[in-house]
């Protein structure tokens, strides 16, 4: 039988790349995002390959999430895969200068939004004794960097939430995976710097980076592993990225 994948944050970046990869692999799709025109364009493109349903949804809105998923057409209402991809970073200022509204938006999206989508769809997977939730975390959940403050903390939540989900669904046949990309170029930095293209582009200048297709290939491979195989966590960086040395501050004398 044809499998169904639900992808949040499908209007750009990893989510959009996943939609294309999963469609070409034969999955039916539910694509989720806030920008209706992009969802319509993606649906029009991929409907030539597979069945596609879209949901205009802000994952931060709890009732909207539950209503949207509970009212899915019958052909899409038993998803095999949920890709919790919707997320964002805002700002790169140190904590004592950070915008508190930005912090709250990151927590609402990266943590609460992921929670709402998971809680809406997980009971059905457990009841059916199959399904796979793939959370898109970040290496920032493992390794701190200046300015990462609340973003890194939100992705550490994704990591621990994924681990605890694995414990909760033990024996149910449901799989849980956390994918943790490193340095990647999507609209991520453009959002982080609130539309400042020059500042966003500077980050990637003269540096090889992960591309959306790289992560989408990994997510698709993870989703297609045999039923008895669970990839718990997968951290991936471009070859030219590694962990930073510990910082030492020396007093000026």
């Amino acid at each position: 039988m044809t499998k169904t994948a639900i992808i949040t944050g499908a209007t750009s970046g990893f989510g959009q790349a996943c939609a294309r990869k999963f469609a070409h692999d034969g999955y039916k799709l539910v694509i989720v995002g806030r920008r209706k025109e992009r969802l319509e364009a993606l649906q029009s493109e991929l409907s030539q390959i597979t069945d596609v349903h879209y949901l205009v949804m802000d994952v931060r809105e709890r009732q909207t999430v539950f209503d949207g998923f509970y009212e899915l057409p019958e052909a899409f209402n038993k998803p095999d895969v949920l890709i919790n991809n919707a997320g964002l970073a805002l700002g790169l200022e140190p904590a004592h200068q950070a915008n508190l509204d930005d912090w709250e938006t990151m927590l609402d999206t990266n943590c609460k939004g992921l929670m709402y989508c998971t809680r809406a769809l997980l009971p059905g997977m457990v009841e059916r004794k199959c399904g796979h939730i793939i959370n898109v975390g970040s290496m920032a959940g493992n390794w701190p960097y200046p300015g990462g403050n609340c973003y890194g903390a939100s992705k550490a939540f994704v990591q621990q939430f994924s681990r605890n989900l694995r414990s909760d669904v033990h024996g149910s046949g449901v799989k849980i995976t956390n994918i943790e990309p490193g340095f990647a170029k999507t609209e991520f930095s453009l959002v982080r710097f609130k539309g400042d293209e020059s500042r966003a582009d500077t980050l990637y200048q003269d540096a090889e980076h992960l591309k959306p297709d790289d992560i989408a290939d990994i997510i698709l491979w993870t989703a297609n592993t045999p039923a008895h195989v669970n990839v718990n966590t997968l951290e991936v960086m471009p070859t030219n990225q590694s962990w930073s040395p510990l910082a030492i501050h020396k007093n000026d004398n």
Side-chain angles (χ1 to χ4, degrees), residues 2 58-59 79-80 143 149 158 170 173 185 229 235:
T2 301
D58 187 336
V59 298
D80 300 275
W143 313 105
N149 41 71
V158 174
H170 177 73
K185 186 175 183 179
V229 175
E235 182 182 272

Side-chain angles (χ1 to χ4, degrees), residues 22-147:
F22 275 72
H24 283 280
D25 200 56
Y27 282 76
K28 295 187 296 183
L29 299 180
V30 178
I31 50 175
V32 181
R34 292 182 296 169
R35 292 173 285 191
K36 182 178 180 181
E37 68 284 354
R38 289 199 180 190
L39 291 173
E40 289 177 335
L42 189 60
Q43 182 192 46
S44 177
E45 172 193 340
L46 298 181
S47 289
Q48 302 175 50
I49 304 167
T50 190
D51 294 332
V52 183
H53 179 76
Y54 73 80
L55 284 176
V56 180
M57 177 190 294
D58 187 336
V59 298
R60 296 175 296 177
E61 298 173 358
R62 175 175 171 176
Q63 197 58 51
T64 301
V65 169
F66 278 78
D67 289 346
F69 288 151
Y70 287 172
E71 295 169 7
L72 283 171
E74 185 175 355
F76 299 93
N77 68 3
K78 293 181 176 61
D80 300 275
V81 180
L82 165 63
I83 302 172
N84 276 318
N85 168 71
L88 78 169
L90 293 172
L92 199 59
E93 295 80 15
H96 56 285
Q97 297 174 357
N99 184 312
L100 193 56
D101 289 338
D102 288 347
W103 280 8
E104 290 187 348
T105 299
M106 285 186 278
L107 291 176
D108 286 344
T109 307
N110 301 350
C111 301
K112 289 184 178 180
L114 182 145
M115 284 168 38
Y116 299 156
C117 294
T118 299
R119 186 60 182 82
L121 295 172
L122 183 59
M125 291 183 174
V126 172
E127 182 180 352
R128 295 189 297 275
K129 298 187 182 303
C130 67
H132 195 171
I133 293 179
I134 302 175
N135 296 325
V136 179
S138 171
M139 55 78 65
N142 302 323
W143 313 105
Y145 59 86

